[in-house]
Amino acid sequence: MDQNVKLFRTRVKIGNWNQERYLEEEAMKNYLEKKVRGDLITQREDSLKRQILKPVSLSVTNDGRLHFGDVVMLMNVGAETRERSAVSINADIYSVRTGPAPSIQAPCGVSAGRVQACTRTAFIITSVDGSPEGSALHFDQKFALKTTSGFAGGFYLTSDIQTFQKCAQMSRLQEVSLEAGNSSLSWWKLAHFDPRERLEHEGQPVPANEKVLIVHCKTNQALAALGHQVLWTTYGKEYEVTAHTFFDSHKAEQDENHWIVSNTSRLHKHLIH
């Protein structure tokens, strides 16, 4: 045979080209099918954000107090190294139950994120002692904080003593999460932020939009937003939320534990400082 005769043209494909082409076609087919169903990660994230960032009207009352049944936002006052933030449902695409009526699944984490009245940040003050809806909430009175029904699931803000297996992701302090059941682990109480005035306010109605401590009844630890523990979430940079009381040198709770239970979407300057 003449050694100068070429047996193959340069354009002839060799190797496993047929299998590679088949895999490429299958990948494209799967991509298009997912796109039609809305199952692409970007589509699922967009859908999650549309649902969970829907605006919510907070309760507005004439007497300036907090009441059972009020829809509120839990806003941390912030500090020089930490922006003001609100307790938020920290759901990602894997936290959502799919189906005709998608919703968040429990348990679900929380974080401290952007202050905006929406499904993600709205909580309902819920009675645990038989107090009727509409009655005033008092300092040192037990209550629960429940997310709104529907997409947010109607779950309860819950905590328990930290263990090696169950604790906050970054700080390893006492974990705070959303759970389906309302138990004593979901009971909280409010205390005046200034320990010098705490005793005289005990048992008095709680004013809305004023600094308070949100204390977990079972463990007696105060809700906290940690500026030095940053979480990168589906919604951007946020802070870890734990139940842990931070004291200063005078045995007073620090600003990590200072919250405003807001029942108005309009946040005035005196609420921020």
Side-chain angles (χ1 to χ4, degrees):
M1 180 180 292
D2 189 345
Q3 295 180 350
N4 295 321
V5 175
K6 291 183 178 180
L7 299 179
F8 301 99
R9 288 179 299 172
T10 56
R11 292 182 180 179
V12 173
K13 295 181 178 180
I14 61 175
N16 296 328
W17 63 272
N18 192 47
Q19 182 180 1
E20 292 173 1
R21 181 179 176 183
Y22 172 78
L23 293 174
E24 288 175 0
E25 290 176 348
E26 281 295 301
M28 178 57 69
K29 180 181 177 182
N30 290 335
Y31 170 82
L32 294 174
E33 288 177 350
K34 284 186 175 182
K35 186 175 182 181
V36 170
R37 294 195 306 266
D39 282 346
L40 296 178
I41 289 178
T42 53
Q43 290 176 311
R44 291 170 65 187
E45 285 186 349
D46 288 344
S47 176
L48 168 63
K49 289 179 180 179
R50 281 196 304 271
Q51 294 280 355
I52 206 167
L53 298 179
K54 280 183 179 178
V56 167
S57 296
L58 303 181
S59 300
V60 179
T61 54
N62 295 326
D63 60 5
R65 297 172 176 174
L66 296 176
H67 305 83
F68 290 102
D70 281 359
V71 180
V72 299
M73 186 166 50
L74 311 177
M75 190 185 81
N76 186 267
V77 298
E80 292 183 2
T81 58
R82 185 183 71 258
E83 297 178 1
R84 61 192 177 97
S85 56
V87 175
S88 308
I89 302 172
N90 189 14
D92 57 24
I93 58 175
Y94 305 104
S95 308
V96 179
R97 181 185 293 107
T98 57
S103 62
I104 302 299
Q105 298 184 84
C108 182
V110 295
S111 54
R114 181 182 173 187
V115 177
Q116 60 179 127
C118 62
T119 300
R120 189 171 180 239
T121 59
F123 289 87
I124 302 169
I125 299 175
T126 305
S127 172
V128 299
D129 62 4
S131 297
E133 188 167 314
S135 62
L137 174 68
H138 296 77
F139 282 111
D140 213 40
Q141 183 178 11
K142 295 176 182 178
F143 67 97
L145 290 161
K146 183 173 69 171
T147 60
T148 55
S149 58
F151 187 78
F155 300 135
Y156 293 87
L157 194 68
T158 302
S159 189
D160 199 1
I161 298 171
Q162 78 262 42
T163 64
F164 182 78
Q165 292 82 13
K166 188 173 179 62
C167 55
Q169 176 184 347
M170 300 186 68
S171 64
R172 314 303 292 177
L173 297 174
Q174 186 171 311
E175 183 181 44
V176 177
S177 62
L178 296 171
E179 302 286 345
N182 181 12
S183 69
S184 60
L185 299 179
S186 306
W187 296 357
W188 303 82
K189 60 184 178 181
L190 300 182
H192 196 279
F193 81 98
D194 189 340
R196 295 169 298 181
E197 300 184 30
R198 195 163 296 159
L199 188 59
E200 65 183 78
H201 281 84
E202 190 172 318
Q204 297 298 311
V206 182
N209 306 311
E210 298 289 344
K211 281 197 292 187
V212 294
L213 303 181
I214 305 174
V215 181
H216 187 242
C217 291
K218 179 181 177 181
T219 62
N220 205 38
Q221 294 292 331
L223 193 69
L226 308 187
H228 59 286
Q229 300 292 357
V230 174
L231 302 174
W232 292 100
T233 73
T234 301
Y235 316 92
K237 175 186 172 182
E238 301 191 338
Y239 307 120
E240 186 169 68
V241 172
T242 69
H244 184 82
T245 308
F246 291 89
F247 292 106
D248 62 19
S249 57
H250 301 289
K251 299 296 181 181
E253 293 83 4
Q254 300 187 87
D255 52 34
E256 287 93 340
N257 298 126
H258 292 172
W259 297 86
I260 291 167
V261 183
S262 176
N263 64 356
T264 175
S265 301
R266 186 179 178 185
L267 300 175
H268 303 278
K269 285 186 178 180
H270 77 278
L271 300 180
I272 299 172
H273 299 291

